[in-house]
Amino acid sequence: AAGVIQSPRHLIKEKRETATLKCYPIPRHDTVYWYQQGPGQDPQFLISFYEKMQSDKGSIPDRFSAQQFSDYHSELNMSSLELGDSALYFCASSDTYTLLGADTGSYNEQFFGPGTRLTVL
Amino acid sequence: AQTVTQSQPEMSVQEAETVTLSCTYDTSESDYYLFWYKQPPSRQMILVIRQEAYKQQNATENRFSVNFQKAAKSFSLKISDSQLGDAAMYFCAYRSTRDDKIIFGKGTRLHILP
């Protein structure tokens, strides 16, 4: 089965540079989520999009912006990179109305991609 | 705000034995989802098991089962017949029914001893 695709898988940048991370959701998934996992840390929710509109926002720095395009892929743009931005960035996708069995009701599971490892030097 | 607490940073278990990972959470909501995710050395985030708060029956997935105590806000994961491939970081996580974000605990690193 197709999974969430993230590119690039690894990225090395210098301080104050910009970076763009891309996420391609599972086909027919309409919602995309971004998470940041620092070294030795738990993942932190950054932002999500449903049908190209921002649906929820977490602890995303003002230096970061994101959008979802008409083909549902999403891009996370990061400017003025800092050393502390070094992390694993996960994208996840879901289908808003996925039903997982008759006894579970409606539930839109988030399927995680493999992550993009960003290193800021 | 909701929080998830995992009090065991690391645990070890002998292969083929049973181990229980602890998790507590705090929320004022009555309806929500709880999860256990596994993150092996590849860093891929893999859903192990999910529990809906409205269900009293504990979820089970093969060798993985949970003990969900809603009143105590406790959600532990039991791994039976531990295998070497179970070695990973395990995250307990919470998600409200009203928004998208998953809130993760700090994780428990599980070592499997051969």
Side-chain angles (χ1 to χ4, degrees), chain B residues 1 3 6-7 9 16 27 31 33 42 45-47 50 72-73 77 80 84 94 97 103 107:
Chain B
T3 59
Q6 293 178 251
S7 59
T27 183
D31 199 13
Y33 303 104
S42 67
M45 195 66 74
I46 302 166
L47 177 64
R50 182 186 78 247
K73 295 180 182 173
L77 174 70
S80 304
L84 294 178
Y94 170 101
T97 57
I103 299 167

Side-chain angles (χ1 to χ4, degrees), chain A residues 24-98:
Chain A
Y24 298 88
I26 292 171
R28 293 184 295 282
H29 279 195
D30 52 15
T31 307
V32 170
Y33 315 80
W34 286 98
Y35 293 83
Q36 177 193 55
Q37 185 179 24
Q41 301 295 313
D42 53 297
Q44 296 287 321
F45 173 77
L46 293 178
I47 196 166
S48 62
F49 292 88
Y50 166 65
E51 287 287 347
K52 303 178 283 297
M53 299 288 290
Q54 180 181 307
S55 56
D56 203 355
K57 190 173 181 180
S59 50
I60 184 169
D62 292 340
R63 299 177 290 107
F64 294 6
S65 65
Q67 58 182 324
Q68 186 181 32
F69 296 86
S70 57
D71 63 352
Y72 296 112
H73 95 272
S74 178
E75 295 183 3
L76 178 64
N77 299 293
M78 310 159 70
S79 63
S80 303
L81 287 169
E82 303 174 354
L83 296 178
D85 296 330
S86 294
L88 186 61
Y89 290 83
F90 285 108
C91 172
S93 75
S94 72
D95 174 2
T96 304
Y97 297 107
T98 296

Side-chain angles (χ1 to χ4, degrees), chain B residues 68-87:
Chain B
F68 173 47
Q69 301 290 327
K70 190 173 184 179
K73 295 180 182 173
S74 169
F75 183 61
S76 61
L77 174 70
K78 185 172 79 172
I79 306 175
S80 304
D81 185 25
S82 298
Q83 300 175 1
L84 294 178
D86 295 333

Side-chain angles (χ1 to χ4, degrees), chain A residues 33 35 37 41-43 45 48 55-56 88 90 100 103-110 112-114 117, chain B residues 33 35 37 39 42-45 47 50 52 54-55 91 95 99-107:
Chain A
Y33 315 80
Y35 293 83
Q37 185 179 24
Q41 301 295 313
D42 53 297
F45 173 77
S48 62
S55 56
D56 203 355
L88 186 61
F90 285 108
L100 295 179
D103 63 342
T104 63
S106 64
Y107 164 74
N108 51 335
E109 179 178 343
Q110 295 183 23
F112 282 81
R117 181 173 297 282
Chain B
Y33 303 104
F35 312 89
Y37 281 89
Q39 189 174 43
S42 67
R43 305 301 299 277
Q44 176 76 46
M45 195 66 74
L47 177 64
R50 182 186 78 247
E52 288 90 345
Y54 69 88
K55 289 188 171 180
F91 290 99
R95 181 182 162 192
D99 57 39
D100 293 336
K101 59 180 175 286
I102 296 175
I103 299 167
F104 292 87
K106 295 299 183 187

